[in-house]
Amino acid sequence: MKYVALVYYQESIINAMTEQEWHDLNQECVAGVERLTSQGNYVTGQPLQPVDTATTVRVRNGELLVTDGPFAETKEQLAGFYLLEARDLNEALQLAGRIPPARFGSIEVRPVRELPPKD
Amino acid sequence: MTSHQYDLGQLYQQQSRRVLATLIRLLGDFALAEEAMQEAFAAAVRQWPGEGVPDNPVAWLIRAGHRKGIDQIRRKQTAQHYSYLVATPDDPVVDTDDPSIEDDQLRLLFTCCHPGLSMDARVAMTLREMCGLTTEQVASALLQKPATLAQRIVRAKKKIRDAGIPYEVPDAKQLPERLPGVLQVIYLVFNEGYSRSEGESVVDVSLSAEAIRLAGALTQLLPQGEVFGLLALMLLHDSRRPARQDASGELITLEDQDRTLWNEASIRQGLQSLEHALASTPMGIYTLQASIAAVHARAARAEDTDWARIVRLYDALYRRQPSPVIALNRAAAVAMRDTPADGLALLEQLTSHKEILGYHLFHAARADLHRRAGNRASAISAYQRALALATQGPERRFLERRLKELDSAS
């Protein structure tokens, strides 16, 4: 099964990090992706720029509405995602638990839904 | 014919969960397995009186249920999520000595208690699927509306299927992480029955009995220290049931209980289970709590209680689980070992925990120690605070009684 692991943390924690801590965290993530890839669990993934770069789009009555910022203000912000291939939820949870920001943020694990075939 | 029907009723009681647990594995779907299990028993009612009871009734029922489930899948073959199952062989040889059949009940329990489900859903699923209670029974036992409960169970099954919660016993590496969650559900079921969070009657026999039965079965399937510890704890607490309330339903404290009313068989079984638990180290939280209950069980009179030992056990428990509630119980034990003033000094230290100030038993403990120390005014005000926070009828009446005694003592 495929699962998405959504990585959330308080950006303030990251902002308070020293250069060295931030560098080490990134290297740890690089090593994590390498391990997931070698195990065949990694499909894709991407860290994201901070939430102050977010722009939200909605279409209402056929009109495109653009607003600055994320769709909702939350205590923890979306910081990236992984698309994982796992046997079942238990394996997905084990893999998510090893994503470095799990130690100070939260990882939401969701199974993917496949779109139905084209009519 | 009558005898066959009688046998089947009993067989259903004793074995329907085993049959269900295996069918869930074979068919990969809770609802489908439940339906197939019912159909298999219905087929037995029709066929066994004429054809005779098969040598291995459980294997027969599993085979019949599996066949009916596969037929059902074939009929629904368009349904995407069953398609991978149809590769299963037509008529599998079911070997009831196969260890995987014993494991099926564990698979069922670990799935019902999966941490990906809410605690409410885990309790409901365990009572419904593992204990085999009907939705109506579970709802009434948990004081909830049947419709609410039915919806909770449907949601839990949907999450199990859609999120890919596996039907498996965690491997040796994950078991230590997962077992406490299962034991927690069983203990919650026990406590839900033993002491209601609301309402009049303190004791509901059936939920406590279900929890004890479940833990007993688990000691067979997974003979680990803490499983025995939990069983011992529940049996020892349950042994006091006949002495816990008087004829009019009023609560009687441990100190004032007529110990000759304690259920000797439960104590014996509890102590036996505790011995198994103590064979494995280090002692877990249930084994430690059972050891405390055992000290009480072994004291013929309240004044014979070995409070020094109880304090030592609470020390060990607090090291494993440093919670203010355990510190509260420890303080009460210190008061009994030494003096009420020593206990009160420890309770004062706890007031830094905000949550404990909203806990009625904290104020009840303070009130009790002030009462023992002869501080009448402090005792009265603490009883009043406890009363303002207590919700349960019998507990409230107990506190009111104490207040009245103090009033008349003036």
Side-chain angles (χ1 to χ4, degrees), chain B residues 89-342:
Chain B
D90 267 12
D91 201 358
V93 183
V94 177
D95 174 6
T96 35
D97 294 331
D98 177 356
S100 66
I101 292 206
E102 282 301 307
D103 283 352
D104 283 335
Q105 291 185 297
L106 271 183
R107 286 191 184 95
L108 182 54
L109 184 61
F110 274 96
T111 305
C112 291
C113 296
H114 196 277
L117 303 174
S118 73
M119 195 42 115
D120 285 345
R122 286 183 237 172
V123 169
M125 284 291 285
T126 300
L127 289 170
R128 176 75 187 80
E129 307 300 326
M130 218 29 224
C131 301
L133 303 185
T134 64
T135 303
E136 288 71 25
Q137 285 173 320
V138 178
S140 99
L142 297 174
L143 304 177
Q144 280 158 358
K145 290 200 190 89
T148 312
L149 202 101
Q151 198 182 33
R152 183 171 299 155
I153 288 174
V154 167
R155 276 209 204 110
K157 287 179 182 171
K158 184 174 176 329
K159 177 155 188 193
I160 289 171
R161 194 187 60 214
D162 295 347
I165 289 179
Y167 195 59
E168 66 177 24
V169 182
D171 58 27
K173 205 176 98 231
Q174 283 183 33
L175 194 62
E177 276 171 34
R178 293 282 310 279
L179 184 60
V182 172
L183 299 181
Q184 192 188 1
V185 169
I186 298 176
Y187 195 38
L188 207 98
V189 169
F190 176 80
N191 281 321
E192 193 67 35
Y194 193 67
S195 129
R196 286 250 160 247
S197 47
E198 264 174 73
E200 279 303 286
S201 173
V202 183
V203 173
D204 176 343
V205 176
S206 65
L207 277 186
S208 306
E210 287 298 338
I212 289 172
R213 204 184 56 77
L214 208 53
L218 195 54
T219 59
Q220 307 279 315
L221 297 166
L222 203 65
Q224 296 211 352
E226 275 289 83
V227 181
F228 284 106
L230 175 61
L231 178 62
L233 173 62
M234 295 191 298
L235 282 166
L236 291 171
H237 274 254
D238 204 54
S239 73
R240 299 180 205 147
R241 184 192 297 281
R244 243 181 125 222
Q245 281 172 299
D246 67 14
S248 53
E250 299 301 319
L251 271 186
I252 305 174
T253 61
L254 187 54
E255 190 178 11
D256 293 330
Q257 285 173 16
D258 175 357
R259 298 184 177 217
T260 62
L261 294 177
W262 287 357
N263 185 323
E264 270 180 57
S266 296
I267 292 179
R268 203 169 46 243
Q269 287 167 30
L271 293 176
Q272 220 167 49
S273 187
L274 181 58
E275 242 171 76
H276 286 292
L278 291 171
S280 64
T281 50
M283 278 199 266
I285 55 166
Y286 295 110
T287 305
L288 283 165
Q289 292 175 81
S291 302
I292 293 168
V295 176
H296 292 301
R298 287 190 178 109
R301 297 171 308 164
E303 53 269 40
D304 298 335
T305 310
D306 184 351
W307 288 106
R309 182 167 165 70
I310 290 182
V311 171
R312 282 198 303 277
L313 288 164
Y314 272 122
D315 284 338
L317 188 57
Y318 189 80
R319 278 196 297 276
R320 292 225 180 16
Q321 204 176 55
S323 86
V325 173
I326 290 169
L328 164 64
N329 289 319
R330 182 182 175 276
V334 168
M336 298 306 286
R337 183 193 63 184
D338 305 332
T339 68
D342 293 301

Side-chain angles (χ1 to χ4, degrees), chain A residues 69-86:
Chain A
F71 86 99
E73 299 287 345
T74 47
K75 194 161 168 265
E76 295 186 310
Q77 293 82 38
L78 183 64
F81 71 91
Y82 291 74
L83 181 60
L84 300 170
E85 178 64 48

Side-chain angles (χ1 to χ4, degrees), chain A residues 2-3 8 16 50 63 77 82 101 105:
Chain A
K2 284 196 180 62
Y3 294 86
Y8 290 87
E63 197 187 339
Q77 293 82 38
Y82 291 74

